[in-house]
Amino acid sequence: FGKEAWRGWSLVQDAPSFEAIQGTITHARTRSEGKDQVTDVGFAYTIDGTRYEGDNHATANSYRDAMLASRDVGRYSVNQKITLYVDPHDPARATLSRDVPAARALVRTVYAALFYGIAIFSLITYVRSRKRARVLAHARELERQRQEEFEQRRLSRKQTA
């Protein structure tokens, strides 16, 4: 989840400097994410004899209306030639457009931060509660030993008196 958020946010930052190349659409469909319909477009391209594949997962458009999502995906068809934009420093990074929607990337980044924040908070709380439980158990044991010693002293005083 965090990786997808970072991938989307870094594309927002870097995409304007990507170079245009020709690629091919490998799939174009919509998928459900809760109540939303999300465009899912895959593509392939070759640079210096190496074939790369990518998708729009980090930058996909999200729609509440399935018809709008279908219309967006309808712009693409399998084996369609298309201009892609590739990172000149890392050819494995590519996108369908230099205009990456920052809002979606930002939302994913916020969700990732919340998710990992809650996970870290939960872990810290769990560790603290376990430590507290160990301290309380040790305190109970010490109190039990103190009570036993007290009882033994009391009994020995009774016997000597």
Side-chain angles (χ1 to χ4, degrees):
F1 187 64
K3 183 179 176 182
E4 280 294 316
W6 176 251
R7 184 176 160 213
W9 189 250
S10 66
L11 276 176
V12 168
Q13 301 296 312
D14 301 338
S17 65
F18 285 9
E19 296 175 357
I21 64 158
Q22 287 298 305
T24 306
I25 298 296
T26 57
H27 68 267
R29 56 184 171 245
T30 61
R31 68 177 192 282
S32 293
E33 284 187 4
K35 294 180 180 180
D36 292 339
Q37 293 295 311
V38 179
T39 59
D40 181 9
V41 181
F43 48 83
Y45 54 99
T46 303
I47 297 177
D48 297 330
T50 302
R51 178 181 162 88
Y52 295 93
E53 292 190 9
D55 56 54
N56 71 328
H57 288 273
T59 61
N61 289 319
S62 179
Y63 299 94
R64 289 284 177 173
D65 184 355
M67 187 148 27
L68 290 174
S70 295
R71 188 175 0 178
D72 191 16
V73 167
R75 298 181 300 154
Y76 305 104
S77 59
V78 175
N79 295 323
Q80 174 185 350
K81 301 294 181 204
I82 190 165
T83 300
L84 300 170
Y85 301 92
V86 178
D87 185 345
H89 305 293
D90 182 4
R93 289 179 67 207
T95 185
L96 291 168
S97 170
R98 282 191 179 123
D99 300 322
V100 177
R104 184 165 174 84
L106 180 61
V107 167
R108 283 188 174 203
T109 302
V110 169
Y111 282 155
L114 285 172
F115 175 79
Y116 288 114
I118 290 169
I120 290 168
F121 175 77
S122 298
L123 181 63
I124 289 169
T125 303
Y126 173 76
V127 169
R128 283 184 176 174
S129 70
R130 296 299 303 157
K131 182 177 180 181
R132 183 173 182 219
R134 284 193 307 270
V135 168
L136 288 174
H138 182 67
R140 280 190 211 109
E141 179 62 23
L142 290 175
E143 180 63 21
R144 187 189 61 76
Q145 289 173 359
R146 192 181 72 72
Q147 287 292 335
E148 283 179 5
E149 289 172 8
F150 178 76
E151 273 302 308
Q152 286 175 356
R153 275 191 245 135
R154 193 176 66 77
L155 287 175
S156 75
R157 277 191 222 135
K158 263 188 177 180
Q159 288 174 353
T160 56

